[in-house]
Amino acid sequence: MDETTGGADGGACGEVPYRTGDVLRMECPFTSAAVTAVGRYHVAVRWPWWEVDTEARGIEWNGDIALPTPADHGWTDSYFRTVPPEEELRAGDRCLVGIAPTVVHVLAVDHFDPPLETGWLPRPAAYIEFLLQGQSFDPELEEQGHTVDPAGGEPVRFALLFRPYAFLENGDDLVDHDGRAWRFDGPWDWHPYDGGPADAPAWPLHLLHRDGDPAPDEIAAVAAATATGSHADVAARWAELTHASPLPTRN
C-alpha cells in the first residue's frame, strides 16, 4: 500500500497523489486536547494542530472545533472522535482527539491557488473530498461528503487500498473488445464516441491516445491489465471495500 502523511513535517504537499475513485485508509493519531464547552449536540475542543490566522480577512476563528455528540444526527457521519467519548466530556476536561483507521473513497481532489483563507493556519492548498465507507454518492444532493487538507496541520495519514483502473489516465482514448471507442474520465465516467449507451467498455481494451500517441509500453500495459476480467470485476472489488455503489463521482 502507498502511504502518505499530512502535517507540517511532510506528506502530500504540492501534488496530491490521489484521484477520484481511490479507496483509502485514513487515520490520525489521537492527541491531547482541552474541552472548552459542552452542549447536548456538540462538544467544543481546542484544536491541537491549527493556529489562528491573524491575517485572514473577515474571518475570525477562536481556536475551537465543534465535534458532534451521539445526540446529533450528523454524529455517524463524523470521523474525528474523542477518548473518552464525546457524551462523557465536561468543560475543562482533557481528552484525546483523532481518527481511528477509517476506509473512505475519494469524490474529488480540489486545488486552491492561492491557498484558501479559512481563519486558521496552515491555509489549505488542496482538499481531498471523500465519503466514508458505507456511503454512496447521491447526484441529487447538493452537499455531500467531507473534506480534509492532505498537507494541513493535522497529521492525517492515508494509505491507498485500491485504485480502479490504475493503468489508465484521465483523458485516455481507447477502443474496446466490441470495437467501440471510449474516453476515460474516471472509473465510473466513461464516454462512448459513437453516441451509444454510456455504460462501460468491454474488455480487453486497446489504448489509442494518451496526450498524443501512446508509447508501446503504455499500450502493452493496458492490454495486459485487461486481458482477463471486466469492468464489472473492478466495480465489485471497489464495492467490496467501500460498501457503496460505484455511481458517477463529482469532478
Side-chain angles (χ1 to χ4, degrees):
M1 292 183 294
D2 297 329
E3 185 164 340
T4 60
T5 305
D9 293 330
C13 299
E15 291 296 321
V16 178
Y18 303 117
R19 70 185 193 185
T20 298
D22 283 354
V23 183
L24 310 177
R25 187 188 68 232
M26 178 179 71
E27 59 184 312
C28 180
F30 280 79
T31 302
S32 179
V35 179
T36 57
V38 172
R40 180 182 178 187
Y41 298 106
H42 294 88
V43 171
V45 175
R46 184 56 50 88
W47 213 236
W49 301 291
W50 294 342
E51 298 179 7
V52 174
D53 186 352
T54 58
E55 297 183 1
R57 295 165 293 182
I59 304 175
E60 294 185 5
W61 178 58
N62 66 0
D64 291 351
I65 291 291
L67 301 176
T69 69
D72 185 85
H73 72 277
W75 185 78
T76 55
D77 287 340
S78 63
Y79 48 94
F80 274 100
R81 289 286 189 257
T82 64
V83 179
E86 292 84 0
E87 66 271 24
E88 297 180 10
L89 297 175
R90 300 292 180 267
D93 286 351
R94 300 290 303 184
C95 69
L96 299 177
V97 60
I99 305 173
T102 302
V103 174
V104 304
H105 56 99
V106 178
L107 288 177
V109 178
D110 303 312
H111 298 272
F112 311 106
D113 185 15
L116 288 180
E117 288 189 17
T118 56
W120 57 77
L121 297 173
R123 294 180 178 181
Y127 275 142
I128 293 176
E129 188 176 356
F130 64 90
L131 288 173
L132 300 172
Q133 188 179 53
Q135 297 177 338
S136 298
F137 174 63
D138 184 348
E140 299 300 320
L141 295 178
E142 291 186 6
E143 294 185 6
Q144 190 181 16
H146 312 273
T147 58
V148 64
D149 180 357
E154 299 157 339
V156 180
R157 294 195 292 260
F158 302 92
L160 179 63
L161 301 181
F162 179 59
R163 170 168 290 172
Y165 286 97
F167 48 88
L168 296 183
E169 297 179 5
N170 285 358
D172 280 355
D173 288 333
L174 307 102
V175 63
D176 72 2
H177 175 266
D178 297 333
R180 297 184 70 195
W182 299 77
R183 187 179 76 248
F184 173 80
D185 287 321
W188 326 127
D189 197 10
W190 288 89
H191 300 274
Y193 283 104
D194 60 9
D199 41 18
W203 289 21
L205 304 177
H206 175 73
L207 181 63
L208 296 174
H209 184 275
R210 174 176 290 170
D211 194 24
D213 292 333
D217 60 329
E218 294 174 327
I219 296 174
V222 172
T226 59
T228 60
S230 66
H231 176 83
D233 293 335
V234 174
R237 174 58 178 158
W238 187 91
E240 178 185 7
L241 291 170
T242 64
H243 304 173
S245 300
L247 297 175
T249 47
R250 280 183 288 193
N251 295 318

